[in-house]
Amino acid sequence: MRRQFLQLLVVAAIASVILGYGIERASVGTAYSDPFSKIRAQDECTYANSAVGLAHAGGWLTPKVLGRYLLFKPPLLLWLAGLSLKIFGQSLFALRLPALAAAVCVAVILFWWTRRERSILIACAAVVLFLSNLLMHIFARLCYTDMLVVAAISGALAFLYADPSLARTRSLWCCGASVAAGVMAKNVAGLLPLFILALYCVLVRTDKRPPLARLASVTLIAAALIAPWHIYQLIAHRHWFWADYVQVQLLGFGIQLPVTSAESQAAFYFRRLSLSDPALALLLLTALPFLISALRGRNQVLPALLTAWFAIAAGALLLFRYQNLPYAILLIPPACLIAAAYSPLLSGQRAKWGVLALCAIFAVKWSEPGKIWGLSFGAARPLPAVAGLRAYYNLGRANELILADSDDFFYASTLPLPRVRYYFRVQDNSAPKSFPHYVELGIMLTEDEFERLPQLESTYASRLRDWGLDSTEAIGTAILGQSDDALVRLVKARPGSDYYVTLLELQLLERDEAIRHTHTVRQLPYGRAFLLAQTTGSRPVVPLPARW
């Protein structure tokens, strides 16, 4: 037992070093969450803004972002990130520590699981596959919910595997708590273990299944743990909870949203998963026939559970209409287990050579960070806006900052500036349709409405109070304009604000003599500029971490 514990500690230490190395290289929101489509991790800025707010100002039950409540998902990630920031101080390491810890837990679970069924070499192969996977490297270093839910699902199924009948009270409670943790990290995605359990019961013989009463107990335990926060929000912020959590997140993004690319769901995920880790894809393909063969007798727990896990995770990706690469990491742990346990390339005498080959592949990935399958260890193409906005912050200006068609991926929202607003040039009304309650509450305004904000603010403030938010900070956070003249009118109507604009917008604004008299220009070397109001106060400049 002691030797096994030491092995798990070694795996945890190795995983912490490999996945944690370079965790502070990329600024908040600047890493690619989808390196194939070159999509930056802008959601991290949203989570960072909220977590920093929790650490500094409290409000733990109902997190906020830019002054408004943030109820699209339950707050487990924000709680953990906020607590980490409060304990360790503001840093990228503290912000991303929960995701890193979750990834390390998954690595330990994979080793423990495979070691119970196969040799230590096969267990090492499962861990090497996991630690050399590009997606694991990305999301272990990002403040995202996805790694937490993967860890919760892996934990729930590990407890079931250790005690297939769930006869022990500890197994029952740990399985239920893991399901609850997944739900509190990423709402309905956390319920996947229950669907996996249901399919597992179909695939395996009756004597290998947990009794129905035990499955019901797991469900009740999970429900009891997730109920308090959900009930509180239904009572305290019923309108907001329904609009964010149900209408936008579950129905809008899950069911009603059109497919987001020309690719089918299957093609979108298959292409990215196979290109990001060809070795895992090859081993998985060679393992599937042997997994199916082992499943035929219906008398083994491992093949039935792994099949159910992989099938339900794949089915969830195909059914959920929003195409988003972070969701694909749901498939990585079961794929690593299936590949290690059933691939003929890792069986018998070939195991040691297979492990050596995987280690060599890991080294090649490390040496080729520029390849689509390469491992950059946290490095990312710098985002010019980060340097520009940090320099602006250091000026100590007391004005609000309005960012027009910004290239910062909401990085400005993570800085302790007096007030941040975003102006978007839009061609249609898709944004108001996606977030209709933002329009009703004045969070999202047209440029014309923003000009009339002094007359409209009291109305929006009253609506926000009816929704449980006694603050006007969120009003006008997003401003929508449909013409070139809209931005000119905005600057003229708000001469005391600072602006972050493109050079093309700057040329348009400089044509207006009134604007030339109210603002001075500070050009930036990457095609952007600040319009700084000539009237300003000063504010204390709290030093930011060297990397943020």
Side-chain angles (χ1 to χ4, degrees):
M1 182 66 70
R2 183 181 177 185
R3 182 180 179 184
Q4 193 177 57
F5 180 71
L6 289 175
Q7 289 175 348
L8 296 178
L9 283 181
V10 170
V11 171
I14 293 173
S16 299
V17 171
I18 291 176
L19 296 177
Y21 177 69
I23 197 170
E24 293 191 303
R25 281 184 173 178
S27 298
V28 183
T30 65
Y32 289 116
S33 62
D34 184 345
F36 298 89
S37 303
K38 301 301 180 185
I39 296 174
R40 302 268 188 176
Q42 68 179 33
D43 285 354
E44 187 176 48
C45 291
T46 299
Y47 297 136
N49 176 281
S50 189
V52 170
L54 292 182
H56 292 167
W60 293 83
L61 275 176
T62 313
K64 295 179 182 177
V65 60
L66 290 174
R68 66 182 183 269
Y69 290 135
L70 182 63
L71 295 179
F72 295 111
K73 296 181 179 70
L76 181 60
L77 173 67
L78 301 178
W79 286 346
L80 295 175
L83 183 62
S84 179
L85 290 166
K86 197 169 185 65
I87 293 172
F88 300 109
Q90 186 170 336
S91 69
L92 289 172
F93 173 78
L95 176 69
R96 295 163 175 168
L97 180 58
L100 174 61
V104 171
C105 287
V106 176
V108 171
I109 288 170
L110 295 185
F111 180 87
W112 166 85
W113 195 322
T114 318
R115 185 70 181 90
R116 286 174 63 100
E117 286 279 342
R118 301 289 192 269
S119 68
I120 192 170
L121 277 175
I122 301 301
C124 289
V127 173
V128 174
L129 280 170
F130 180 80
L131 295 180
S132 62
N133 182 267
L134 172 63
L135 300 187
M136 294 301 106
H137 276 253
I138 291 174
F139 296 104
R141 296 180 176 87
L142 283 179
C143 183
Y144 264 45
T145 58
D146 302 273
M147 193 60 75
L148 294 186
V149 77
V150 166
I153 293 171
S154 301
L157 298 180
F159 287 115
L160 174 68
Y161 169 71
D163 183 10
S165 63
L166 294 175
R168 295 191 291 271
T169 302
R170 182 179 63 181
S171 302
L172 195 69
W173 276 92
C174 288
C175 188
S178 297
V179 174
V183 173
M184 292 302 292
K186 206 174 177 65
N187 52 54
V188 295
L191 296 176
L192 288 181
L194 300 180
F195 294 97
I196 295 169
L197 280 170
L199 181 56
Y200 164 76
C201 289
V202 173
L203 295 175
V204 78
R205 286 189 336 203
T206 305
D207 60 323
K208 300 291 184 180
R209 305 172 189 167
L212 185 60
R214 305 302 276 181
L215 294 177
S217 296
V218 168
T219 305
L220 290 174
I221 289 169
L225 292 174
I226 66 176
W229 182 83
H230 287 79
I231 292 173
Y232 170 78
Q233 297 303 338
L234 281 171
I235 295 172
H237 308 107
R238 175 170 55 89
H239 296 300
W240 210 292
F241 182 80
W242 178 258
D244 270 5
Y245 197 92
V246 179
Q247 290 184 313
V248 174
Q249 185 65 32
L250 298 183
L251 300 180
F253 283 93
I255 298 174
Q256 299 169 359
L257 189 75
V259 174
T260 51
S261 81
E263 297 175 283
S264 67
Q265 300 293 97
F268 178 87
Y269 290 109
F270 178 79
R271 177 174 172 270
R272 284 159 174 76
L273 287 168
S274 57
L275 290 177
S276 65
D277 200 339
L280 178 58
L282 174 63
L283 288 172
L284 181 63
L285 287 175
T286 61
L288 287 177
F290 295 89
L291 174 67
I292 294 170
S293 177
L295 184 64
R296 286 176 181 168
R298 300 184 64 202
N299 59 353
Q300 297 181 57
V301 172
L302 184 65
L305 190 54
L306 293 184
T307 301
W309 187 354
F310 191 84
I312 293 297
L317 294 182
L318 298 178
L319 290 174
F320 197 75
R321 292 179 60 82
Y322 188 62
Q323 295 176 350
N324 191 21
L325 184 60
Y327 301 161
I329 70 171
L330 293 171
L331 285 172
I332 303 303
C336 291
L337 286 170
I338 292 170
Y342 290 100
S343 174
L345 301 178
L346 293 172
S347 64
Q349 295 298 317
R350 290 184 290 271
K352 61 180 179 181
W353 300 111
V355 172
L356 288 174
L358 291 177
C359 291
I361 291 171
F362 177 82
V364 171
K365 289 183 174 183
W366 190 340
S367 66
E368 295 285 351
K371 303 293 186 182
I372 195 62
W373 38 261
L375 303 177
S376 63
F377 287 84
R381 187 176 181 181
L383 189 65
V386 170
L389 289 167
R390 284 182 68 114
Y392 172 82
Y393 168 77
N394 290 329
L395 295 176
R397 296 176 62 84
N399 309 63
E400 71 176 8
L401 176 64
I402 300 178
L403 299 97
D405 301 311
S406 183
D407 60 347
D408 76 320
F409 297 92
F410 302 111
Y411 177 79
S413 69
T414 72
L415 303 177
L417 295 168
R419 192 163 196 170
V420 172
R421 303 182 193 271
Y422 283 89
Y423 170 88
F424 302 97
R425 173 72 183 273
V426 296
Q427 302 297 329
D428 54 36
N429 61 348
S430 58
K433 279 186 176 180
S434 297
F435 304 93
H437 59 303
Y438 284 5
V439 176
E440 178 185 352
L441 299 172
I443 296 169
M444 186 181 291
L445 301 173
T446 65
E447 191 281 327
D448 293 334
E449 290 169 332
F450 190 72
E451 281 190 57
R452 296 183 288 116
L453 187 55
Q455 294 79 41
L456 298 174
E457 189 170 47
S458 60
T459 300
Y460 292 132
S462 176
R463 293 176 185 174
L464 285 168
R465 281 194 298 271
D466 291 341
W467 281 48
L469 185 59
D470 191 12
S471 169
T472 60
E473 183 184 353
I475 297 175
T477 306
I479 307 165
L480 308 181
Q482 293 188 333
S483 68
D484 292 338
D485 292 340
L487 182 58
V488 176
R489 295 196 305 270
L490 173 64
V491 178
K492 293 174 70 173
R494 208 82 169 190
S497 301
D498 292 340
Y499 296 86
Y500 177 74
V501 299
T502 67
L503 291 185
L504 289 175
E505 290 167 336
L506 177 63
Q507 293 173 7
L508 178 68
L509 293 167
E510 285 185 317
R511 295 174 190 169
D512 194 289
E513 186 175 349
I515 294 175
R516 292 201 302 269
H517 283 90
T518 58
H519 291 81
T520 57
V521 176
R522 178 173 291 193
Q523 288 199 25
L524 298 168
Y526 55 91
R528 294 273 168 168
F530 285 108
L531 275 180
L532 302 179
Q534 293 184 4
T535 57
T536 185
S538 61
R539 56 168 173 78
V541 178
V542 179
L544 294 171
R547 293 182 177 180
W548 178 254

